Amino acid sequence: MKSLAGIMVEYTLEVTTGSMLHAGTFHNLYVTLIGSERQSERTQLTSFGLDDKTGKVGTYAVTTLFSLGCLLLLKLEKDPFHDSPEKDWFCSTIVVRTPEEDDIFFPCHSWLSRGDSVLLRGGRATKAFEDLHPRLVSQRKKELVQQKLMYKWYLYAEGMSYILNINDPKTVPAEIRFSFSKAFEFRYKGEETSAELKLKGLTGSTEHFESFEAMKAVSWFNNSPVSEYVAEHWKDDDFFGYQFLNGNNPFMIQRCSKLPTNFPVTEEMVKPFLANGSSLTAEMMKGNIFIVDYKMMEDLPTRVINGKPVAMTAALCLLYLNPEEKLLPIAIQLGQQPSEDTPIFLPTDLEADWLLAKIFVRNADALYAIIRSHFQKIHLLAEVFAMATLRNLPMSHPLYKLLMPHHRHTLHVNILARTLLLGPGRFLANTSLGVDGVTELLRRGFSKTTYTSLCLPESIAARGLESIPNYYYKDDALSLWSIINSFIKAMVAYYYPSDREVSADYELQEWINEIFYYGFLGNDDSGIPSSFQKVEELIKFVTMVVFTSSAQHAAVSGGQFHFYGWIPNGPLVLHQDPPTTKGQSSMEAILKYLPKKSFAGFSTSTLWRLSRKYSDFVPLGTYPEQRFDEPAALQMIKDFQAELSSISVAITKRNSELELPFNYLNPKVIENSVTI
């Protein structure tokens, strides 16, 4: 194309609209290309309806009189004056073909509303000290200033980690909110379950269930082979023990080499349950005795019903790995202080006594799992990781590109959790603990959270569980940790070839510094680093972040309905005090301990919504939003996916031979981030 000045220079743009629902727009779009020598004129890319289709790829041209030099930035704008109904547009990526026939990739992955603009950085991922052009340096700093203004820290409660300062789900910024399909499904399923509760006559009912059989009416939401197995086997001692290894809370059990002084189990008490001729001391020496201790729950404030505090027991449970490799409970104490009123229950007690003792343990375990293991150690920590990434790492930073897929929807779902689950009258407030008890357990859990407890191999070793059989959570989780670690190691080593580059990256240092101070309140005893000096330190920490936000969340989230949908197996409130003497219980009396119909229906439906898979599910290792442009990085992602596929095949094969399959850590069902 010729002009008076000579030959016009043409840049060809390939613009991709997102593939999600309502991603297209009727509005006009404008682009300005910014080079090292000059910038183009503001150029209109669209006419009416040109980009109104989801997933559309449009090709456009920007012409200039002269070459712009090295292409640095691309400014994308959405028409502020268009008179059509307001509609956001999601831009996935833009690829610019320069006159020199170079293809420059600009990841966007952002929603633009009327009048919005975004300045995109092209080319490979870069660290701050690698930017030499003043325009790039300036833009990098401005981007982080804007992010810090949008995402501000807020203290959730004294003695706890900070959170995002947004408490209204309606004001969540576009880039972190649920997709349209996810928001619709979440709302629809809530309405659907509410209607079913009314239909079943459970809404508002203050009655206890007449029988255990009658409780099956509550579990209609999502029957599965696992939930049916739980309903059939919940009384069995071997299934009770199995759940400490492969249930919703496989983090409490530890090997016991010496009994706590406040758990006075004698040789005579447990000898009938051990191998012939053996003793408790001998079995401890062999490594066959295990313990679960809920000391953290001692003296928690509990909900008050009819003027009386609800019972909450900080139980102790001793377990034995027998010669058939079954993990069986052999002694339970429903409290931390032994006394005549706190007897030690044994499998030889009356059936109802022993069952009731196990129910109190399951009550403590379910509350601990939901509040401490799930919400505090995963949701709240994942929020800290996401906040630090958004505030301190620009879009061009390699760690931003690596981590953002593992932060998807995390902030939005946490805002919803605080709004729908934690407030007065909400789900968790109606459990045994109530609002004050939940907050105190979160605070205690936070104070005990250490780097070691978050790094799986170290956690397993610290609890002495390296060789316990049938611990499928451990086997699968260690395999996933190794695969994730190999992927992170390859990625980090590619972008940080030396320790010097790690220590010199001030954006990276700010990232970990904010995690240390806002996530762990600057507590050196936690073991969380406040800075990175070595490549290996960065690899380990990022591995933990990705593992926590994906695999670890799947382990505690996926089975909530399966294990707690059958009310007696994970009751979230018990209406009577624990027994102080033996021989007084009966199967009929146990029904009076268990949740009433209204709360049973409410809790079961809530756990179903929190356990199900939504249509915008993104499996671990799947990155539908391309952020990296370097062939080496893209190949590493493919290698990661291949490793995950391999372990998925192995888990499927293993599960085919099990009476009760453990599938929660199959990569196919692990979501890339905390989204629900």
Side-chain angles (χ1 to χ4, degrees), residues 447-501:
S447 69
K448 298 295 184 182
T449 301
T450 64
Y451 196 17
T452 294
S453 71
L454 298 174
C455 294
L456 182 78
E458 296 174 31
S459 173
I460 295 294
R463 291 187 287 135
L465 302 178
E466 300 95 327
S467 59
I468 186 170
N470 305 320
Y471 195 6
Y472 307 120
Y473 161 78
K474 175 207 67 176
D475 299 338
D476 296 350
L478 285 174
S479 295
L480 285 166
W481 178 279
S482 178
I483 290 171
I484 292 170
N485 181 252
S486 295
F487 170 57
I488 300 301
K489 183 176 182 180
M491 280 290 214
V492 169
Y494 178 74
Y495 290 104
Y496 294 90
S498 69
D499 293 340
R500 181 186 60 80
E501 299 210 6

Side-chain angles (χ1 to χ4, degrees), residues 272-427:
F273 320 123
L274 306 178
N276 287 336
S278 190
S279 67
L280 182 60
T281 301
E283 293 298 337
M284 282 195 288
M285 291 180 64
K286 293 177 184 177
N288 291 332
I289 301 298
F290 300 84
I291 192 169
V292 181
D293 187 350
Y294 298 93
K295 182 175 178 56
M296 188 181 292
M297 306 184 80
E298 185 179 19
D299 296 328
L300 284 173
T302 61
R303 180 177 161 214
V304 176
I305 300 179
N306 296 327
K308 180 182 177 183
V310 171
M312 178 75 250
T313 60
L316 288 148
C317 180
L318 202 65
L319 300 111
Y320 169 54
L321 183 68
N322 72 10
E324 290 76 41
E325 296 188 339
K326 290 184 177 181
L327 186 67
L328 303 173
I330 56 174
I332 293 173
Q333 180 177 290
L334 299 179
Q336 291 288 311
Q337 305 303 323
S339 70
E340 290 185 0
D341 293 334
T342 312
I344 294 175
F345 291 90
L346 306 169
T348 47
D349 292 336
L350 291 177
E351 178 187 8
D353 283 351
W354 181 236
L355 182 61
L356 185 57
K358 290 191 293 181
I359 286 174
F360 268 94
V361 173
R362 294 298 303 154
N363 167 246
D365 192 75
L367 289 168
Y368 188 100
I370 292 171
I371 297 165
R372 156 73 165 151
S373 299
H374 188 171
F375 188 66
Q376 188 261 315
K377 284 191 74 175
I378 296 178
H379 276 259
L380 292 181
L381 283 185
E383 181 165 357
V384 169
F385 302 148
M387 283 283 288
T389 300
L390 286 165
R391 287 172 49 85
N392 297 286
L393 304 178
M395 291 176 63
S396 60
H397 196 284
L399 205 59
Y400 178 97
K401 294 173 180 280
L402 178 62
L403 290 178
M404 277 310 294
H406 300 288
H407 300 328
R408 173 178 174 265
H409 293 174
T410 298
L411 297 177
H412 193 172
V413 77
N414 278 8
I415 292 168
L416 281 172
R418 288 189 284 270
T419 303
L420 302 177
L421 303 181
L422 291 172
R426 304 300 185 182
F427 172 53

Side-chain angles (χ1 to χ4, degrees), residues 433-449:
L433 292 178
V435 174
D436 292 341
V438 168
T439 302
E440 178 61 22
L441 180 55
L442 288 171
R443 186 180 289 111
R444 292 182 187 182
F446 173 79
S447 69
K448 298 295 184 182
T449 301

Side-chain angles (χ1 to χ4, degrees), residues 39-53:
Q39 68 182 47
S40 72
E41 293 184 1
R42 182 173 182 263
T43 304
Q44 181 177 331
L45 294 187
T46 62
S47 59
F48 182 77
L50 201 56
D51 278 286
D52 64 330
K53 294 183 179 178

Side-chain angles (χ1 to χ4, degrees), residues 527-601:
I528 296 293
S530 59
S531 65
F532 295 124
Q533 303 303 320
K534 297 180 179 297
V535 174
E536 62 186 34
E537 296 171 350
L538 177 58
I539 292 170
K540 178 182 177 181
F541 194 85
V542 176
T543 298
M544 181 275 291
V545 170
V546 173
F547 180 84
T548 299
S549 302
S550 57
Q552 197 75 309
H553 182 247
V556 300
S557 176
Q560 289 179 106
F561 175 80
H562 292 157
F563 289 100
Y564 304 149
W566 177 241
I567 302 300
N569 190 58
L572 299 179
V573 62
L574 293 173
H575 289 278
Q576 297 189 34
D577 293 336
T580 56
T581 59
K582 298 184 181 184
Q584 303 298 313
S585 300
S586 67
M587 298 304 288
E588 293 74 19
I590 288 176
L591 291 170
K592 301 300 182 184
Y593 281 84
L594 295 173
K596 297 178 181 179
K597 291 181 178 180
S598 179
F599 181 69

Side-chain angles (χ1 to χ4, degrees), residues 5 38 91 198 201 233 246 265 379 408 477 510 597 601 625 631:
R38 57 186 62 85
C91 176
K198 291 179 181 178
H233 294 277
N246 304 306
V265 177
H379 276 259
R408 173 178 174 265
E510 283 297 311
K597 291 181 178 180
E625 296 181 346

